[in-house]
Amino acid sequence: MEIMNVALLSKWKWRILNDKEAVWRDLLEAREVRVCVGNGESTPFWYAHWIGQHSLMASYPEGITVSSLAENDTAGAGLAEWNSAVRELQQGGSSGGLPAEEVGTSFVAASSAEQQPPSVFGELLRSTAVLKDVPDSFSWTLATDGIFSVKSCYDFLKAKLSGPDLLADKVRALSHLWKVKAPSKVLFFCWRFIHNRLATRDLLVSRGILNEGSESLCVLCMKEEESRTHLFLNCDVSITVWRRVYMWLGVGDFLSLEEFQDFLYNCDKFSCLSKRAILSVAWLATIWTLWLKCNAIIFKKESFSFLECMSEILIISWNWLGSFYKKAPLCNYFGWNTQPLLCFTL
């Protein structure tokens, strides 16, 4: 499992290097992550978001000439050089004595009238100090406490991605949903899932039915606030279930785990109707079983078992396929357990 985690992380690093237009790339690169400078030893002076609203490179994108600071300086070294130069100028160095408000002008020459005044640059640096015994750290700007949460990231991406494209994706997913051969109550459940209409705890809190805090925690992991995205996709427990289903289906050669988790949005990748039918049913059975298990924990005080969850997913999907495709050849249950994609043809 540890090796798989490292491999998946390496995949995301690779995509960061190559997928220049992805929204999540902007999210991860710097805009929502701010460096809290301690000793400044690991913070790039020009390129990191550590001072002001953006990095210094973004705030002063053109025509910047700084007589003392090098491009590869860290924040700590850069501030030390800045303070030394300020003292020299104010005490009558080579440029003669200058008042504090003019020091920035001697250091920064901007070529565009739209850039911030040089004095602002100087004021930013003068207002920042380094703490020699405190290492640099990171702050998540989308949360008031500076700590990353899946909910804040989800809310950001939801707002970023909302619009005609998201609506078109949802319409396409729903068009695929109604073609899946499953009981009508399950299809209606999935319709509510796509529209975020399930009674997850974050929605119950917003309606005043539950209180914030312990009552809003995910019923599976009891670590983070329960939302649709967390419960079905990001929870440690649900991720483990998805991985087991993914390995059982053996679709790693043509579908990533993330794509399988959003399978209704990726159905078009499969021209083979049999594979599409099997994967659709397996995906829907996984969502349905996770929801049933959550309800069993809440209302029946049952404990969660990965073995039971996986067994139910296999049995439910097998029964659905057998019920709705009676004329299609279907292998025995042992074959369904071992090579599901070869068991069924349309």
Side-chain angles (χ1 to χ4, degrees):
M1 185 65 70
E2 182 178 356
I3 296 175
M4 177 62 72
N5 289 338
V6 173
L8 290 173
L9 288 174
S10 299
K11 171 189 173 182
W12 284 109
K13 291 180 179 179
W14 173 256
R15 292 186 67 183
I16 287 174
L17 292 173
N18 289 277
D19 194 351
K20 306 295 185 182
E21 303 300 326
V23 173
W24 50 265
R25 176 188 172 91
D26 293 338
L27 183 74
L28 294 176
E29 275 196 317
R31 291 195 306 177
E32 312 308 331
V33 179
R34 180 188 177 92
V35 180
C36 299
V37 174
N39 55 28
E41 293 180 357
S42 59
T43 302
F45 182 86
W46 287 110
Y47 305 106
H49 178 193
W50 63 279
I51 190 172
Q53 298 300 315
H54 306 279
S55 68
L56 292 177
M57 181 60 69
S59 298
Y60 303 91
E62 298 177 356
I64 303 303
T65 57
V66 180
S67 62
S68 176
L69 303 178
E71 286 191 359
N72 59 354
D73 270 340
T74 61
L79 282 172
E81 294 181 29
W82 168 264
N83 290 329
S84 175
V86 167
R87 287 193 297 270
E88 178 182 348
L89 288 171
Q90 290 181 328
Q91 293 171 2
S94 59
S95 299
L98 291 176
E101 61 270 16
E102 296 183 18
V103 171
T105 305
S106 295
F107 270 76
V108 182
S111 64
S112 172
E114 296 179 355
Q115 294 174 1
Q116 299 182 37
S119 58
V120 176
F121 179 88
E123 184 61 34
L124 283 174
L125 297 188
R126 287 198 300 275
S127 64
T128 305
V130 297
L131 305 173
K132 294 183 179 180
D133 298 326
V134 179
D136 297 341
S137 59
F138 295 93
S139 175
W140 181 249
T141 62
L142 296 179
T144 55
D145 58 3
I147 299 175
F148 175 86
S149 69
V150 173
K151 184 178 185 301
S152 64
C153 184
Y154 171 77
D155 291 340
F156 170 85
L157 292 174
K158 182 179 179 181
K160 186 75 175 178
L161 295 174
S162 61
D165 291 341
L166 183 62
L167 179 61
D169 288 343
K170 185 178 291 186
V171 170
R172 186 171 67 255
L174 289 171
S175 68
H176 288 306
L177 171 63
W178 304 126
K179 299 175 183 177
V180 181
K181 302 301 182 181
S184 57
K185 66 176 182 180
V186 179
L187 296 179
F188 178 66
F189 158 80
C190 190
W191 179 90
R192 296 179 64 195
F193 168 82
I194 292 173
H195 288 282
N196 196 22
R197 302 285 181 83
L198 298 177
T200 50
R201 292 189 167 188
D202 62 330
L203 296 183
L204 295 178
V205 168
S206 67
R207 296 168 187 169
I209 300 174
L210 296 178
N211 298 319
E212 294 184 359
S214 59
E215 291 186 4
S216 67
L217 294 179
C218 171
V219 68
L220 293 179
C221 68
M222 298 301 293
K223 295 178 181 179
E224 296 187 33
E225 183 183 62
E226 180 183 288
S227 64
R228 181 196 63 167
T229 303
H230 171 80
L231 180 63
F232 290 99
L233 301 177
N234 296 327
C235 173
D236 293 341
V237 176
S238 62
I239 287 176
T240 301
V241 173
W242 282 112
R243 284 175 178 163
R244 294 188 181 187
V245 175
Y246 183 74
M247 294 175 65
W248 161 60
L249 292 170
V251 293
D253 291 339
F254 47 86
L255 196 70
S256 70
L257 177 62
E258 294 82 5
E259 289 171 328
F260 177 59
Q261 287 178 307
D262 288 328
F263 183 73
L264 288 185
Y265 296 89
N266 296 284
C267 285
D268 294 336
K269 290 190 173 185
F270 294 89
S271 57
C272 177
L273 296 180
S274 297
K275 287 184 178 180
R276 182 186 297 185
I278 292 172
L279 294 175
S280 298
V281 168
W283 179 87
L284 193 55
T286 303
I287 293 286
W288 176 247
T289 303
L290 283 171
W291 185 247
L292 294 181
K293 288 299 181 183
C294 289
N295 288 330
I297 293 172
I298 296 172
F299 299 111
K300 298 180 181 179
K301 308 302 179 183
E302 295 182 3
S303 58
F304 185 87
S305 167
F306 286 106
L307 182 61
E308 290 180 5
C309 183
M310 192 64 196
S311 177
E312 289 186 23
I313 291 172
L314 266 65
I315 292 173
I316 288 174
S317 54
W318 165 264
N319 289 335
W320 289 351
L321 286 170
S323 298
F324 288 95
Y325 293 99
K326 294 181 179 179
K327 296 182 179 180
L330 198 67
C331 65
N332 57 34
Y333 189 71
F334 174 78
W336 178 247
N337 272 273
T338 55
Q339 292 182 310
L341 294 183
L342 300 179
C343 288
F344 174 79
T345 56
L346 289 177

